[in-house]
Amino acid sequence: MEALDALLHGFGIALQPMNLLWGFIGVTLGTFIGVLPGVGPALTVAMLLPLTVKLDPTGALIMFAGIYYGAMFGGSTTTILLNTPGESASIATALEGNKMAKAGRAGPALATSAIGSFVAGTIATVLLTLVAPLVVDLALKFGPAEYFSLMVFAFITVSAVLGSSTVRGLTSLFLGLFLGIIGIDSQTGQARFAFGVPELLDGVDVVVLAVGLFAVGEALYVAAYQSRLTETMERMSGSIMMSAEDWKRSWPAWLRATAIGFPFGTIPAGGSEIPTFLSYAIEKKLSKHPEEFGNGAIEGVAGPEAANNAAATGVLVPLLTLGIPTSATAAILLGAFQNYGLQPGPLLFQSQTDLVWGLIASLYIGNIILLILNLPLIGIWVKVLSIPRDLLYAGILVFATLGAYSLHQSWVDLLTLYVFGLLGFAMRRWDIPVGPAVIGLILGPLAETQFRRALSISQGDATVFFTQPISATFLAITAALIVLPWVMRRFRRG
Amino acid sequence: MKARSPAEVALSLGVLALGIGVAAGTSMLPSEGGYAGIGPNFVPGVVGAGLVLLGGWLTYEALAGGWRGAPPDDPAERGEHAFHLPSFAWISIGLFAHMALIGTGGFVVAGVALFACVARGFGSARPVRDIAIALVLSLSVFVFFVKLLNVGLPAGWLAPLLGAAGI
């Protein structure tokens, strides 16, 4: 088997002492920062991006995969003990997990979440290992027209189809697309919307946008609307051991959630939000104890947490094989690749075999390290939670500004950061999703390149997007996604 | 038709204005595009037009009963307190102080100012404790980046002191 050979080779890379060390540092840092309330995986990855400037790409990306996974594990701890979901994918966990903690069952809640994340993460990584080479084979047949249509599909699903409002999702996407235009046009060298500012000629960096929206915006929002509220943290009391009954109720939920989470992660459906809610709904429906839901049912933690991790791994399939980020966190990870001049996609699997398979192998290792970090050592992370909020946000902003400043050593990037902070504040206050903006910034320039390449090949004939069968299929699905909900509403009404 | 929230109207018009700005900027870009037939002004034109349409749509929603599914304007309904201007201002002051100081005072001085202001914004009443913690944090980060990662950060006013300490 080709995939197995490649994976074994990958383990050879990932188990090299330095790479193992980077992986370990990644998961530890990821867990530590992911535990901090109000810091989700996207911000964790964005804040730590500047750390890698001097590392070799393989080590750095192994570290980032660890940070990505670690932030996911750390986030569940916060959700269960504090009931402040760091990201939308944790809302389902918050429903039951925090209730369990209130009832003195924080230990089993944290355990089912950690073990479930491990089981789901590992199974999903096996699926990733098997599926990725197949997608790569398919993607090798893609030309610029196919890539462009696929990107349009991703744009529409993450902004228009999901979320509470189509128009606000699209507005966020177009803001991101506009920010992506700023700088030097890669095809002609023409400066666009840079207003002669040298820092803008390089384009808007994804770190500045993500950290501005997620860290500065969040700090401004929490300070303005929540800083005078008192928070209650549930105590970690009792044993973290799960009873036989807990096990019996947890493992089917883990497996079902993996089956839901992974496929949802691989399609551009905005990451983990839908699969976690879907898993929660299914567990509620199948449970023998439906009356416990809403009062701390263990399946309601086991399912969504496993679904979250399976989806997070699934997201890596389109990211690595096609270079298409389907969540804000994935877009920032793509930024990490780009910092090294690497473009994920089928060609990366051929030109950078060591890097890609070393990275995939490191996911298996990372899952094991995370299980160890999150079960016996859970007490340490609980202490991190008790950092007072004034010091916490002050510290977050010191790191946020460090990331922006280290780009050009210029205060202009700090001003940009503050402007994005104001934008993030407004977006949070008026419920405009931030994910589409981050994806638009990263994916927009790539989509433009593919669009212009496709037209160059066809000598300016725009029908090429509709006459190539694969490209036409993507566009047809996209059109169906926009039109169908509208038609169905009409149909129901009349 | 009554606007539910003036802020929603203002934001909608902001999107509209940005769209018009992008469209105006696009008209100054060259259009020659070689084989593709489209130049560097094509995508900006599409994005500008998109923002104009979306701004119009948002304005319509804001004027016709408010944005659909937006959070309630009354903070109590959102489980929050009323907008607390001093907190918002302290954080902004901290970020601007940091911007102004980092080039001259250096990373540590700017970091301490930022940290103290933000902590103040979150209701801390213990500036001495905040400054002490900020000093330890900024110095550790400075040493870590400069010594271990070889990333240059400005030493600023503390350069003689840091130099004497061998950093």
Side-chain angles (χ1 to χ4, degrees):
Chain A
M1 260 186 70
E2 202 187 326
L4 194 67
D5 284 344
L7 183 66
L8 284 176
H9 177 70
F11 270 108
I13 307 287
L15 287 171
Q16 284 168 10
M18 272 322 278
N19 288 336
L20 206 56
L21 178 69
W22 288 125
F24 180 77
I25 293 176
V27 291
T28 314
L29 266 179
T31 311
F32 174 74
I33 298 184
V35 166
L36 300 174
V39 183
L43 177 57
T44 310
V45 176
M47 275 205 299
L48 296 175
L49 210 53
L51 276 181
T52 57
V53 279
K54 304 276 164 158
L55 300 182
D56 82 291
T58 307
L61 290 167
I62 285 178
M63 182 166 112
F64 269 101
I67 291 170
Y68 176 58
Y69 268 35
M72 217 77 70
F73 270 74
S76 346
T77 308
T78 320
T79 308
I80 290 168
L81 294 178
L82 268 182
N83 195 17
T84 48
E87 43 147 15
S88 45
S90 312
I91 294 171
T93 308
L95 291 172
E96 299 305 323
N98 195 248
K99 287 276 160 48
M100 283 183 74
K102 281 205 165 69
R105 303 214 332 117
L110 292 168
T112 195
S113 146
I115 302 170
S117 296
F118 167 75
V119 170
T122 305
I123 297 176
T125 310
V126 173
L127 293 173
L128 164 73
T129 311
L130 297 173
V131 171
L134 304 178
V135 183
V136 164
D137 285 345
L138 181 68
L140 284 169
K141 299 188 178 69
F142 285 12
E146 283 75 18
Y147 271 112
F148 174 72
S149 301
L150 183 61
M151 288 169 181
V152 170
F153 171 63
F155 282 147
I156 294 302
T157 47
V158 298
S159 60
V161 179
L162 305 161
S164 58
S165 157
T166 304
V167 60
R168 295 204 291 279
L170 283 173
T171 303
S172 173
L173 173 71
F174 272 79
L175 276 175
L177 292 176
F178 165 63
L179 296 173
I181 294 171
I182 295 173
I184 290 184
D185 172 32
S186 63
Q187 315 259 303
T188 58
Q190 169 71 41
R192 299 189 292 191
F193 298 96
F195 309 107
V197 180
E199 285 83 356
L200 288 180
L201 283 172
D202 274 358
V204 173
D205 196 279
V206 69
V207 170
V208 181
L209 179 67
V211 171
L213 293 178
F214 291 108
V216 181
E218 172 80 10
L220 287 169
Y221 187 87
V222 174
Y225 287 114
Q226 297 174 355
S227 59
R228 267 66 195 167
L229 303 174
T230 45
E231 259 184 306
T232 51
M233 190 177 107
E234 302 310 323
R235 303 262 317 226
M236 234 307 280
S237 53
S239 150
I240 62 159
M241 299 300 278
M242 287 161 58
S243 67
E245 166 82 2
D246 289 340
W247 280 98
K248 215 180 101 205
R249 289 173 60 176
S250 289
W251 72 260
W254 296 337
L255 296 183
R256 277 193 291 267
T258 310
I260 298 164
F262 183 78
F264 262 98
T266 58
I267 58 170
S272 328
E273 197 173 332
I274 296 179
T276 50
F277 276 102
L278 210 58
S279 162
Y280 183 78
I282 287 176
E283 292 311 322
K284 194 171 174 179
K285 196 148 200 155
L286 293 177
S287 171
K288 291 195 187 79
H289 313 272
E291 75 286 351
E292 281 185 24
F293 275 78
N295 301 312
I298 193 161
E299 298 97 327
V301 182
E305 275 308 301
N308 188 6
N309 257 51
T313 310
V315 163
L316 296 176
V317 174
L319 179 69
L320 291 174
T321 59
L322 298 166
I324 305 233
T326 54
S327 69
T329 320
I332 301 163
L333 281 172
L334 183 56
F337 279 93
Q338 290 175 340
N339 278 355
Y340 290 103
L342 299 168
Q343 185 58 45
L347 297 178
L348 197 71
F349 274 77
Q350 295 176 339
S351 63
Q352 300 276 347
T353 325
D354 286 7
L355 186 146
V356 172
W357 287 101
L359 184 66
I360 293 176
S362 79
L363 299 178
Y364 289 93
I365 302 167
N367 263 306
I368 296 172
I369 303 176
L370 277 167
L371 189 65
I372 299 167
L373 279 180
N374 278 276
L375 279 180
L377 300 180
I378 189 73
I380 300 175
W381 310 118
V382 174
K383 286 215 178 60
V384 172
L385 272 180
S386 52
I387 298 177
R389 203 164 43 177
D390 47 354
L391 301 180
L392 173 70
Y393 277 97
I396 290 175
L397 287 194
V398 167
F399 281 97
T401 48
L402 168 63
Y405 186 76
S406 63
L407 289 173
H408 305 102
Q409 306 264 338
S410 156
W411 63 271
V412 176
D413 289 315
L414 295 172
L415 183 63
T416 317
L417 182 77
Y418 182 71
V419 172
F420 289 147
L422 292 179
L423 186 67
F425 170 84
M427 291 172 94
R428 169 94 194 263
R429 169 62 185 81
W430 283 281
D431 190 29
I432 302 168
V434 292
V438 179
I439 293 174
L441 169 69
I442 282 282
L443 203 48
L446 298 175
E448 181 181 11
T449 304
Q450 301 291 6
F451 181 68
R452 285 159 73 176
R453 254 187 221 155
L455 284 180
S456 287
I457 296 168
S458 73
Q459 304 276 320
D461 176 11
T463 58
V464 63
F465 300 104
F466 307 101
T467 51
Q468 309 272 351
I470 302 176
S471 167
T473 310
F474 286 134
L475 290 179
I477 300 173
T478 311
L481 280 172
I482 300 172
V483 175
L484 273 181
W486 185 77
V487 169
M488 272 161 66
R489 268 202 302 274
R490 280 284 152 122
F491 196 67
R492 234 179 266 156
R493 229 184 271 161
Chain B
M1 296 238 290
K2 187 179 169 295
R4 201 187 56 139
S5 153
E8 286 178 6
V9 179
L11 285 170
S12 307
L13 292 176
V15 174
L16 193 63
L18 177 67
I20 294 169
V22 174
T26 302
S27 65
M28 289 182 279
L29 291 170
S31 63
E32 68 272 16
Y35 291 118
I38 57 160
N41 68 340
F42 183 82
V43 170
V46 172
V47 172
L51 285 169
V52 168
L53 283 175
L54 290 164
W57 187 354
L58 286 170
T59 313
Y60 164 75
E61 280 197 3
L63 292 174
W67 286 2
R68 309 292 179 262
D73 261 349
D74 177 10
E77 279 180 61
R78 301 196 305 267
E80 295 171 340
H81 54 66
F83 183 81
H84 193 257
L85 182 64
S87 292
F88 191 92
W90 271 113
I91 290 168
S92 305
I93 291 168
L95 286 162
F96 279 104
H98 179 264
M99 245 176 261
L101 281 171
I102 197 153
T104 51
F107 175 79
V108 176
V109 173
V112 170
L114 172 66
F115 192 100
C117 290
V118 173
R120 179 78 187 76
F122 275 87
S124 164
R126 297 158 69 187
V128 178
R129 175 200 67 163
D130 297 342
I131 289 171
I133 293 174
L135 255 178
V136 174
L137 180 75
S138 308
L139 270 175
S140 335
V141 172
F142 185 85
V143 173
F144 181 76
F145 269 74
V146 173
K147 279 277 157 191
L148 281 144
L149 293 179
N150 272 325
V151 177
L153 288 175
W157 296 334
L158 300 185
L161 238 85
L162 292 168
I167 299 164

